[in-house]
């Protein structure tokens, strides 16, 4: 199949900086949409993939899966959107669309494996998939989202990963008016969890290790902040929460949080992949029918639902806009948690590179 050359920013190995490079995009098929990328959010997964922290990165690698742009071309069979529309792409660009998961709009759990927006394998061309740190992307219309017209485009980008990752568990565990929700960790994911849970009408508490994040959390809409290192403070919320969204991306002790779950409450991990240490104590789980669960991003229909909800409630991410040339510095700052709360690349900077 035909391809065209597109300007991008990526890396040739785990140990070198990202730099400008050329990549190939497949030509638009009948069901494809070509998007000129205007903004791309910077997710921790981008950094982990660029540096091969999880293994399996194929180089050159071009990260970026929080994509917002304008449609420049559509295939002959495309009905969902048209040239000139604003559109978004998240973490998935393809799946089998036939398995039980796909049939239930759970493409992120496709039995045959979904195709990631980057570091995946393009089913049409057999080439590596490249992410949003580039001029353009070509995606099957099923995986392209509509962007509410009232939202700031740059601040919408992080909804495509950080937003949906926290929205999906809020919906799955039926959070609504009066639900008591807690969030562990105030970063890209945590700040979206607070805003979305609040938007759904929940009473929202942030767990934080220090007092330093209290002011920010309350400004973002949290009703309370509990200092997790203060045992008396933790005891004051024992048995309180219906759902805890744990966004912490490294190994940590979840047992103190389980103690704060209500009967039948659930703690859902969305940020950390791996074994738990110290080990999970089942006693409070059995005695209170409590669950510890996990959740991965969200399906396409659910992502659209989240974007529409954000449009209605005027919810976007808190961002710091950067140029693509600043991406390596941005990665270093992310490692120090020095970002409130998401970097978003203004992709016009790539044109002038
Ligand atoms: Zn992500
Ligand atoms: Zn499938």
């Amino acid at each position: 199949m035909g391809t065209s050359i597109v300007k991008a920013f990526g890396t040739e190995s785990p140990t070198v900086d990202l730099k400008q490079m050329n990549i190939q995009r497949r030509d638009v098929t009948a069901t494809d949409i070509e998007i000129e990328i205007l903004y791309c959010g910077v997710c921790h997964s981008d950094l982990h993939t660029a540096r091969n922290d999880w293994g399996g990165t194929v180089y050159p690698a071009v990260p970026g899966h929080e994509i917002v742009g304008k449609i420049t071309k559509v295939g002959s069979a495309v009905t969902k959107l048209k040239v000139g529309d604003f559109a978004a792409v998240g973490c998935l660009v393809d799946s089998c669309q036939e398995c039980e998961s796909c049939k239930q709009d759970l493409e992120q759990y496709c039995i045959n494996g979904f195709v990631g927006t980057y570091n995946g394998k393009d089913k049409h061309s057999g080439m590596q998939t490249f992410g949003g740190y580039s001029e353009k992307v070509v995606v099957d219309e099923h995986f392209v989202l509509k962007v509410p017209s009232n939202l700031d485009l740059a601040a919408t980008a992080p909804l495509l990963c950080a937003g949906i990752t926290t929205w999906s568990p809020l919906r799955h565990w039926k959070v609504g008016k009066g639900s008591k929700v807690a969030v562990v960790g105030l970063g890209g994911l945590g700040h979206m969890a607070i805003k979305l849970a609040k938007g759904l009408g929940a009473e929202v508490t942030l767990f934080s290790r220090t007092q330093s994040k209290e002011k920010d959390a309350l400004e973002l809409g949290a009703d309370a902040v509990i200092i997790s290192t203060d045992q008396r403070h933790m005891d004051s919320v024992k048995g309180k929460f219906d759902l805890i969204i744990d966004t912490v991306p490294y190994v940590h002790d979840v047992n103190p949080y389980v103690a704060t779950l209500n009967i039948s409450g659930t703690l859902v991990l969305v940020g950390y992949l791996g074994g738990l240490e110290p080990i999970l104590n089942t006693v409070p789980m059995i005695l209170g029918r409590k669950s510890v669960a996990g959740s991965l991003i969200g399906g396409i229909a659910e992502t659209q639902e989240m974007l529409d909800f954000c449009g209605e409630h005027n919810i976007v991410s808190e961002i710091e806009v950067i140029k693509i040339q600043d991406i390596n510095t941005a990665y270093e700052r992310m490692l120090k948690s020095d970002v409130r709360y998401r970097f978003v690349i203004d992709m016009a900077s790539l044109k002038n590179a």
Side-chain angles (χ1 to χ4, degrees):
M1 94 181 295
T3 58
S4 60
I5 288 174
V6 168
K7 210 191 263 188
F9 228 78
T11 180
E12 308 272 5
S13 96
T15 51
V16 298
D17 278 353
L18 275 71
K19 63 175 175 60
Q20 198 192 307
M21 56 174 61
N22 288 328
I23 55 166
Q24 294 198 330
R25 294 284 189 202
R26 71 171 187 253
D27 290 345
V28 169
T29 69
T31 57
D32 277 344
I33 291 178
E34 181 192 78
I35 301 165
E36 178 196 356
I37 301 170
L38 300 175
Y39 296 100
C40 187
V42 183
C43 172
H44 274 270
S45 306
D46 297 0
L47 189 162
H48 291 309
T49 299
R51 299 187 176 180
N52 200 25
D53 291 336
W54 297 326
T57 300
V58 178
Y59 295 92
V62 175
H65 60 202
E66 294 180 340
I67 299 169
V68 171
K70 199 171 199 172
I71 297 178
T72 43
K73 210 180 274 179
V74 298
S76 55
V78 168
T79 54
K80 194 170 170 181
L81 287 148
K82 59 182 193 308
V83 171
D85 287 347
F86 291 112
V89 176
C91 308
L92 317 174
V93 288
D94 218 337
S95 71
C96 82
Q97 299 191 51
E98 287 171 356
C99 72
E100 284 308 309
S101 295
C102 287
K103 278 194 233 162
Q104 293 174 64
D105 293 324
L106 297 168
E107 298 90 345
Q108 76 275 34
Y109 304 121
C110 175
I111 309 290
N112 299 304
F114 67 81
V115 178
T117 303
Y118 55 78
N119 204 43
K121 192 170 183 193
D122 187 318
K123 286 201 288 192
H124 297 80
S125 66
M127 301 184 304
Q128 178 79 351
T129 58
F130 296 115
Y133 299 2
S134 62
E135 286 176 302
K136 286 177 179 179
V137 66
V138 175
V139 180
D140 185 282
E141 69 169 329
H142 179 76
F143 293 86
V144 178
L145 290 311
K146 297 176 189 176
V147 177
S149 57
N150 58 313
L151 297 182
D152 177 80
L153 287 178
T156 296
L159 299 178
L160 277 302
C161 178
I164 186 60
T165 298
T166 49
W167 175 259
S168 187
L170 288 168
R171 296 290 285 153
H172 181 75
W173 279 280
K174 300 187 168 50
V175 165
K177 219 171 172 50
S179 299
K180 292 183 172 61
V181 173
V183 175
V184 188
L186 186 62
L189 294 172
H191 95 288
M192 284 313 307
I194 291 175
K195 288 190 179 206
L196 293 170
K198 203 62 206 167
L200 285 164
E203 182 189 323
V204 185
T205 299
L206 174 77
F207 283 118
S208 181
R209 280 181 305 173
T210 62
Q211 218 124 35
S212 64
K213 299 210 165 165
E214 182 159 359
K215 186 170 166 282
D216 277 16
L218 298 178
E219 277 173 15
L220 288 164
D223 298 286
V225 176
I226 296 290
I227 307 305
S228 59
T229 49
D230 178 341
Q231 192 53 48
R232 274 179 59 198
H233 218 192
M234 289 296 279
D235 288 345
S236 72
V237 288
K238 208 171 167 204
K240 174 168 179 164
F241 301 110
D242 303 308
L243 181 70
I244 300 174
I245 299 187
D246 184 331
T247 70
V248 176
Y250 47 81
V251 66
H252 60 290
D253 188 2
V254 303
N255 292 296
Y257 302 115
V258 172
T260 70
L261 285 172
N262 195 351
I263 304 301
S264 306
T266 299
L267 179 146
V268 58
L269 293 150
V270 296
Y272 168 67
L273 293 161
L276 288 173
E277 276 173 51
I279 58 169
L280 192 57
N281 182 359
T282 66
V283 174
M285 294 170 67
I286 289 172
L287 296 184
R289 197 168 63 186
K290 299 174 183 183
S291 309
V292 172
S295 180
L296 175 71
I297 42 179
I300 298 302
E302 196 172 47
T303 305
Q304 189 63 60
E305 174 195 74
M306 179 268 313
L307 286 169
D308 295 345
F309 179 88
C310 287
E312 281 160 34
H313 292 79
N314 249 304
I315 295 172
V316 287
S317 181
E318 301 298 312
I319 60 166
E320 179 178 338
V321 176
I322 60 167
K323 295 190 177 93
I324 189 71
Q325 293 79 6
D326 299 328
I327 189 67
N328 296 300
T329 318
Y331 279 2
E332 292 310 314
R333 285 183 54 196
M334 280 163 69
L335 289 171
K336 290 183 267 180
S337 298
D338 176 22
V339 52
R340 284 181 176 176
Y341 283 92
R342 205 64 149 179
F343 289 116
V344 172
I345 309 162
D346 179 354
M347 293 309 301
S349 57
L350 181 61
K351 281 197 183 122
N352 312 325

